[in-house]
């Protein structure tokens, strides 16, 4: 192993350790997002009763719930346990970029992995029990196997690409955008070959359709797809529901106003959270088109199509920037490798390295600030309807009330189902918890009631007896009322006046 290779290996190891620290340290800091609460409910049903049926109208694919089962089996439903698996897959995505050093060059692989490892957005959503980090992982795998298969049609490369695409579809319906982006790259290169009358054997994406390997891939991918969407053959309707999902999601994508944002939204997020990648991506575009480098042109098409399609859809949520950012990171990798090879004088490379380290350090500090200090500050564009830390001030109050009630966790709690209430995973250990999913009962007598501010007036008319009221923030504009029977509250907190 040469001296340069040793330096690269040591750098890669340090980078993986840094990525792991950012993703695993103090996973319980951030309050539970209401989307995490929904995902907790589905995962718990799977663990307890193996009861899950894919719902095409309101929720994403089944991959998150099945892949989250081992952590729930082993460690329960704490914030750390729920977030361990997405953090692990976020780390795997970083490792995937490093593993592509033969395809995008050692310098480019190291830079790409460093940007992904330290990106405030990628770290933030790797530490969140939602679908997006799994989708980013699958997309990183698609890039790896796409580039590898275009160079050499092996069973691992071809089957791997289609398997990663299958995982992407099992995570989110936006896998169709991946199909558009990678498909567009293949079409552009094919048209180029037709126009020039030459086929470049060194980089040929049509290798992905290699007859024998494609058959193997089809068999394995269909098997995985059927098993996941039918909940391992317990829900045959899941196959049809997979296709039905695109009707409501198309309607949501183009008509739902609460999440509608201007077309510039992802351009702004890309510049804010992936800035270190953009100069090298710009260089890759210039050099790739000038030198007619097929691999670079493919990456250009994928990055541009991904950004444009996501930007054209009015419905926008910040976590989608992970996939967009990844495509531009991949493009920046080939641009950086090209620049590094051009910068032969040692002084140039040292200057280059110092500037890059300064940029990455700035990114790392921003990531630390967001993920360990300002994780519920919605001044950050990617902090989106995130539960505020003040919500968790309710938990020790409930603990004291429960201790007063019977000295155990059997405290009866009536909680409304409210979609924006993340309470279920927080309170799962209370055996007396009742979550009301249907219409409110005529009379509510539970010693403890938890209700959203938007439901309070209707519920208050049905309360039997006197209740003490406390309020806690969920996120800006949303509050939770904690209602405790007056006599129970006075026993727990004797000096507190009635609200």
């Amino acid at each position: 192993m040469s001296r340069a290779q040793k330096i690269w290996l040591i750098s890669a190891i340090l980078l993986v350790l840094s990525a792991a620290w950012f993703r695993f340290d103090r996973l319980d800091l951030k309050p539970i997002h209401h989307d995490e609460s929904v995902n907790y409910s589905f995962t718990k049903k799977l663990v307890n009763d193996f009861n899950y049926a894919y719902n095409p109208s309101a929720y994403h694919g089944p991959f998150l719930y099945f892949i989250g089962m081992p952590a729930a089996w082993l460690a329960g439903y704490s914030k750390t346990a729920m977030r361990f698996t997405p953090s692990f897959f976020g780390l795997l995505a970083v490792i995937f970029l490093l593993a592509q050093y033969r395809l995008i060059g050692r310098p480019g692989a190291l830079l790409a992995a460093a940007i992904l490892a330290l990106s405030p957005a990628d770290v933030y959503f790797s530490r969140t029990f939602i679908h997006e980090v799994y989708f980013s992982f699958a997309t990183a795998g698609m890039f790896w196997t796409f580039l590898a298969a275009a160079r050499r049609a092996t069973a691992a490369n071809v089957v791997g690409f289609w398997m990663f695409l299958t995982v992407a579809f099992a995570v989110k319906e936006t896998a169709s955008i991946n199909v558009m982006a990678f498909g567009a790259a293949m079409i552009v290169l094919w048209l180029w070959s037709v126009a020039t009358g030459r086929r470049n054997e060194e980089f040929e994406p049509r290798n992905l359709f290699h007859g024998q390997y494609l058959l193997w891939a089809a068999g394995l991918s269909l098997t995985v797809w059927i098993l996941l969407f039918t909940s391992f053959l317990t829900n045959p309707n899941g196959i049809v529901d997979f296709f039905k999902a695109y009707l409501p999601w198309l309607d949501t994508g183009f008509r739902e106003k609460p999440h509608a944002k201007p077309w510039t939204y992802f351009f702004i997020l890309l510049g804010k959270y992936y800035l270190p990648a953009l100069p090298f991506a710009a260089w890759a575009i210039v050099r790739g088109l000038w030198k007619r480098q097929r691999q670079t042109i493919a990456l250009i098409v994928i990055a541009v199509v991904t950004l444009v399609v996501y930007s054209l859809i009015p419905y926008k949520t910040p976590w989608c920037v992970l996939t967009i950012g990844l495509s531009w990171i991949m493009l920046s990798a080939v641009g950086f490798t090209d620049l590094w090879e051009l910068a032969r004088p040692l002084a140039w490379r040292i200057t280059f390295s110092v500037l890059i380290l300064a940029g990455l350090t700035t990114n790392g500090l921003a990531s630390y600030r967001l993920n360990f200090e300002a994780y519920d500050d919605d001044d950050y564009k990617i902090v989106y309807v995130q539960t505020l830390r003040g919500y968790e001030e309710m938990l020790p109050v409930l603990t004291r009330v429960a201790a007063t009630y019977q000295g155990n966790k059997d405290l009866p709690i009536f909680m409304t189902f409210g979609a924006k209430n993340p309470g279920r995973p927080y309170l799962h250990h209370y055996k007396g918890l009742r979550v009301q999913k249907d219409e409110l009962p005529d009379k509510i007598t539970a010693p403890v009631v938890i209700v959203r501010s938007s439901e309070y007036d209707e519920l208050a008319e049905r309360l039997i007896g006197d209740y003490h009221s406390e309020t806690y923030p969920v996120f800006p504009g949303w509050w939770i009322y904690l209602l405790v029977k007056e006599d129970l509250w006075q026993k727990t907190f004797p000096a507190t006046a009635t609200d």
Side-chain angles (χ1 to χ4, degrees):
M1 184 181 291
S2 68
R3 181 170 174 270
Q5 289 174 330
K6 289 179 181 178
I7 292 173
W8 187 91
L9 181 59
I10 292 171
S11 301
I13 292 171
L14 292 174
L15 186 56
V16 170
L17 292 175
S18 298
W21 181 81
F22 269 105
R23 282 156 178 78
F24 289 105
D25 185 50
R26 289 171 284 171
L27 276 176
D28 60 344
L29 268 182
K30 184 170 61 181
I32 295 173
H33 191 280
H34 60 266
D35 283 352
E36 292 184 282
S37 176
V38 171
N39 294 334
Y40 148 81
S41 297
F42 284 121
T43 304
K44 186 178 181 181
K45 287 180 182 178
L46 265 177
V47 171
N48 291 349
D49 308 312
F50 205 80
N51 177 17
Y52 168 78
Y54 173 61
N55 183 340
S57 63
Y59 304 104
H60 296 306
F63 184 83
L64 176 144
Y65 313 118
F66 285 105
I67 204 68
M69 290 177 71
W73 274 325
L74 294 172
Y77 301 101
S78 68
K79 289 191 283 186
T80 299
M82 288 193 298
R83 293 167 176 169
F84 176 85
T85 308
S87 295
F88 177 70
F89 274 78
L91 180 61
L92 282 181
V94 174
I95 295 172
F96 276 13
L97 296 191
L98 286 170
Q100 298 180 53
Y101 67 90
R102 289 192 178 93
L103 305 170
I104 56 179
R106 288 181 184 273
L110 199 62
L111 177 73
I115 295 172
L116 190 69
L118 302 176
S119 163
D122 283 274
V123 173
Y124 191 82
F125 292 118
S126 290
R127 298 168 61 88
T128 310
F129 185 46
I130 62 173
H131 298 262
E132 208 62 39
V133 70
Y134 298 111
F135 193 76
S136 181
F137 157 80
T139 304
M142 288 179 66
F143 272 113
W144 184 7
T145 49
F146 174 80
L147 298 181
R151 290 172 178 241
R152 186 182 176 199
T154 67
N157 294 337
V158 175
V159 174
F161 176 82
W162 296 108
M163 286 298 295
F164 279 120
L165 179 58
T166 301
V167 170
F169 272 109
V171 175
K172 283 188 73 177
E173 301 73 20
T174 47
S176 57
I177 299 177
N178 281 16
V179 172
M180 295 179 201
F182 283 84
M186 295 181 197
I187 291 170
V188 167
L189 293 184
W190 174 73
L191 290 173
W192 185 11
S193 297
V194 171
T196 59
R198 293 183 310 213
R199 181 176 177 180
N200 190 326
E201 297 293 341
E202 293 183 2
F203 191 85
E204 184 48 75
R206 283 188 291 180
N207 290 343
L208 289 167
F209 299 95
H210 182 286
Q212 181 182 1
Y213 301 150
L214 185 61
L215 286 175
W216 296 355
L220 284 172
S221 298
L222 280 172
T223 299
V224 171
W225 175 71
I226 290 170
L227 288 175
L228 288 176
F229 279 93
T230 64
S231 298
F232 289 82
L233 307 182
T234 62
N235 174 38
N237 292 332
I239 295 175
V240 176
D241 288 340
F242 168 81
F243 297 99
K244 285 182 179 179
Y246 285 90
L247 295 175
W249 281 112
L250 278 172
D251 186 64
T252 297
F254 287 95
R255 295 188 184 183
E256 186 165 325
K257 292 182 179 180
H259 298 285
K261 297 176 182 65
W263 67 270
T264 56
Y265 179 74
F266 286 124
F267 286 82
I268 295 170
L269 292 188
L270 188 64
K272 187 174 180 65
Y273 296 110
Y274 296 93
L275 183 60
L278 299 185
F280 303 110
W283 177 261
I285 292 172
V286 173
R287 285 277 288 183
L289 295 175
W290 178 31
K291 293 290 187 179
R292 298 182 181 179
Q293 299 164 341
R294 287 172 63 86
Q295 174 174 285
T296 304
I297 290 172
L299 293 174
I300 292 170
V301 173
I302 293 170
V304 171
V305 170
T306 301
L307 177 58
V308 169
V309 173
Y310 274 104
S311 297
L312 289 176
I313 299 172
Y315 181 102
K316 296 178 177 70
T317 48
W319 35 80
C320 291
V321 79
L322 268 62
T323 307
I324 299 168
L326 180 60
S327 64
W328 287 86
I329 287 174
M330 288 297 300
L331 187 56
S332 74
V334 296
F336 180 67
T337 295
D338 184 67
L339 273 173
W340 188 263
E341 293 301 323
L342 290 174
R344 289 291 181 180
L346 181 60
W348 290 14
R349 290 190 172 184
I350 291 175
T351 303
F352 222 12
S353 299
V354 170
L355 291 173
I356 291 166
L357 284 173
L360 291 174
T361 300
T362 302
N363 224 31
L365 291 173
S367 190
Y368 180 86
R369 165 70 178 152
L370 170 62
N371 288 284
F372 295 97
E373 295 175 353
Y375 42 79
D376 58 351
D377 184 352
D378 63 359
D379 285 342
Y380 288 84
K381 296 291 184 182
I382 60 170
V383 178
Y384 196 65
V385 291
Q386 168 61 43
T387 306
L388 297 171
R389 64 191 76 189
Y391 182 92
E392 296 186 337
E393 295 174 4
M394 176 179 66
L395 305 179
V397 173
L398 271 175
T399 300
R400 290 186 62 180
V401 170
T404 302
Y405 181 74
Q406 283 186 353
N408 56 35
K409 299 295 184 181
D410 293 337
L411 173 68
I413 301 174
F414 179 94
M415 184 169 70
T416 56
F417 183 65
K420 305 300 182 186
N421 183 358
R424 282 172 288 175
Y426 281 116
L427 307 178
H428 72 273
H429 54 284
Y430 285 96
K431 296 178 182 178
L433 176 65
R434 173 189 171 190
V435 179
Q436 182 69 22
K437 297 183 179 181
D438 303 315
E439 292 185 5
L440 292 174
D442 294 333
K443 297 180 180 180
I444 299 174
T445 60
V448 174
V449 177
I450 300 174
V451 59
R452 289 189 305 167
S453 53
S454 60
E455 300 166 320
Y456 176 78
D457 289 341
E458 181 184 0
L459 180 138
E461 298 174 354
R462 303 164 190 253
L463 294 174
I464 304 299
D466 296 326
Y467 282 81
H468 178 88
S469 171
E470 296 283 325
T471 58
Y472 300 91
V474 182
F475 51 83
W478 291 78
W479 295 80
I480 285 289
Y481 282 86
L482 172 65
L483 307 174
V484 181
K485 283 279 191 180
E486 182 62 38
D487 58 344
L488 178 58
W489 182 266
Q490 291 299 333
K491 289 179 183 178
T492 308
F493 304 99
T496 306
T498 301
D499 182 356

